[in-house]
Amino acid sequence: MRRNASPLSLVLLGAGVFLLVLAPLLVWYVQPHAKRTPIDTDTTTVFTGTGSYFDTGAVETVDDETITITRQVRGDVADSEKSGNAVWDVSTSVDHDKTLPASDPRDALQWTLERWVTDRTTNEPVHCCEESPTFDGEAYLKFPFDVEKRAYRWWDSTLGGVVRLSFEGEKKIQGYAGYLFKGEVEPTRTGVRQVPGILVDRKKTPQVLAEEWYSNSGIELVVDKRTGRIINAAIGPKKTLRAPGSKKDAVVLLESKRVEFTEATQKKQVELASADSDRLAMLGEKAPAGAAGLGLVLTVVGVVLVVRGRRETPETRNTHMMTSTHT
């Protein structure tokens, strides 16, 4: 006589098989869907440093002043959902102490509005949704997920072009380790601006189309390895005016050896990167490994209990034999 497997053994076997199936699903399906650029982002990053800027009131360049760069990034959820891409509106203002706090960004030394559109999975630029400017490269306000130890093509809005950033090892920001990338921009003509000739040493010419030049002595970005979020950024921008055809700077519009994320911005970026990284690690590594391990154990235990439950018990065999002998 045999008996059926116990309900407990079937429950354990079913749970084990479910977890074994769940483990690869977490790796191949759930985690890739979680690894997508957010569309509801709303962040503000602030850079500060000491430098020089052109004071339009005094009509001269003033030195040793505090320079503050404020960047606000807000996701356009409606356009993002409609297009399937990450659509971010970006406001960047450059200020000195006299224009802060900024009640109106138009009073800043410089203010720009941009719209960035990227593929939510690859981080590649997507040219749609009233994107402005039309940009290129593979790293911008963030890097792609799963950052590699290699050079990246980073878009510099001031340059209006791509800068090669080389991998320079690891660096800790507020105790949190990220990948360090560095690059620089040699002096490059970026446009022209009509100004009084006297401003660029052309005293006999009332108005001239002065050349705008830009360089960056040191771009330094520290990036979270898993999410691509920038946890610290430092730049050394220099913007100048030159007389048409001249090889010398006539006016310094803006210059700083190093403008860097404030400590508060660093801490916030680290907090966001750490939380997102832990979530992706849970979905892609810890949860699948735990599900596979526990699923294997439960499956083995369930199979053993089912097999044992289907065997004839010694008591049943002994009773049958005694009845036959007596007869």
Side-chain angles (χ1 to χ4, degrees):
M1 180 178 179
R2 295 178 182 273
R3 63 181 182 181
N4 294 326
S6 68
L8 175 61
S9 64
L10 295 177
V11 169
L12 292 177
L13 179 59
V17 172
F18 171 77
L19 289 174
L20 287 176
V21 173
L22 177 64
L25 282 178
L26 288 172
V27 176
W28 298 331
Y29 183 78
V30 177
Q31 194 218 29
H33 277 70
K35 196 180 291 184
R36 303 182 72 194
T37 301
I39 61 176
D40 59 348
T41 187
D42 188 352
T43 61
T44 299
T45 54
V46 181
F47 302 69
T48 59
T50 302
S52 307
Y53 69 88
F54 185 77
D55 188 327
T56 55
V59 196
E60 64 178 1
T61 300
V62 294
D63 303 317
D64 298 321
E65 298 288 335
T66 300
I67 305 295
T68 301
I69 302 175
T70 305
R71 173 170 287 162
Q72 296 178 317
V73 181
R74 291 188 174 91
D76 187 323
V77 176
D79 279 2
S80 295
E81 291 178 341
K82 182 179 179 180
S83 67
N85 303 300
V87 182
W88 289 359
D89 291 318
V90 185
S91 169
T92 305
S93 60
V94 182
D95 290 275
H96 52 82
D97 287 342
K98 294 179 182 179
T99 60
L100 288 175
S103 56
D104 188 337
R106 289 173 293 186
D107 295 332
L109 281 173
Q110 177 182 319
W111 178 49
T112 58
L113 284 175
E114 300 172 307
R115 169 163 281 214
W116 299 69
V117 186
T118 58
D119 184 283
R120 296 186 63 191
T121 302
T122 66
N123 204 52
E124 292 289 333
V126 179
H127 308 303
C128 75
C129 315
E130 300 181 0
E131 165 209 29
S132 176
T134 300
F135 62 101
D136 195 4
E138 55 187 335
Y140 327 96
L141 300 173
K142 70 180 293 294
F143 278 58
F145 291 97
D146 298 322
V147 182
E148 301 175 34
K149 297 179 179 180
R150 63 172 177 83
Y152 278 85
R153 295 163 57 244
W154 179 74
W155 176 262
D156 186 328
S157 288
T158 305
L159 176 65
V162 172
V163 180
R164 183 182 184 276
L165 299 183
S166 60
F167 174 72
E168 298 290 341
E170 294 191 8
K171 184 174 182 178
K172 286 188 175 181
I173 301 297
Q174 302 298 326
Y176 186 85
Y179 284 165
L180 172 63
F181 294 89
K182 289 184 177 182
E184 62 180 30
V185 179
E186 294 296 325
T188 304
R189 177 178 165 173
T190 57
V192 294
R193 179 187 302 189
Q194 184 170 308
V195 299
I198 193 173
L199 197 61
V200 290
D201 299 325
R202 295 291 176 88
K203 299 178 181 180
K204 296 182 179 180
T205 308
Q207 297 288 323
V208 299
L209 284 177
E211 298 176 359
E212 295 182 332
W213 284 72
Y214 164 72
S215 63
N216 203 312
S217 59
I219 302 166
E220 183 180 301
L221 305 178
V222 183
V223 184
D224 179 52
K225 310 169 190 177
R226 195 184 306 275
T227 66
R229 183 183 291 273
I230 298 174
I231 59 177
N232 189 49
I235 55 177
K238 182 178 182 180
K239 298 181 66 177
T240 63
L241 291 179
R242 296 183 183 182
S246 175
K247 295 182 179 180
K248 294 182 180 181
D249 294 330
V251 178
V252 173
L253 300 177
L254 178 70
E255 182 179 17
S256 177
K257 295 298 183 183
R258 188 177 179 88
V259 183
E260 185 175 12
F261 274 0
T262 63
E263 184 176 345
T265 294
Q266 289 176 3
K267 289 180 177 179
K268 183 61 177 179
Q269 292 297 98
V270 165
E271 178 185 336
L272 293 171
S274 178
D276 289 344
S277 181
D278 288 346
R279 179 172 59 87
L280 291 176
M282 177 63 70
L283 291 174
E285 299 172 9
K286 298 176 183 178
L294 181 58
L296 181 61
V297 171
L298 293 179
T299 300
V300 171
V301 172
V303 169
V304 170
L305 291 178
V306 167
V307 171
R308 286 182 178 179
R310 292 183 178 276
R311 291 176 180 171
E312 283 189 331
T313 63
E315 292 78 5
T316 301
R317 290 198 302 271
N318 289 340
T319 302
H320 178 69
M321 293 174 62
M322 289 176 65
T323 301
S324 299
T325 303
H326 179 71
T327 301

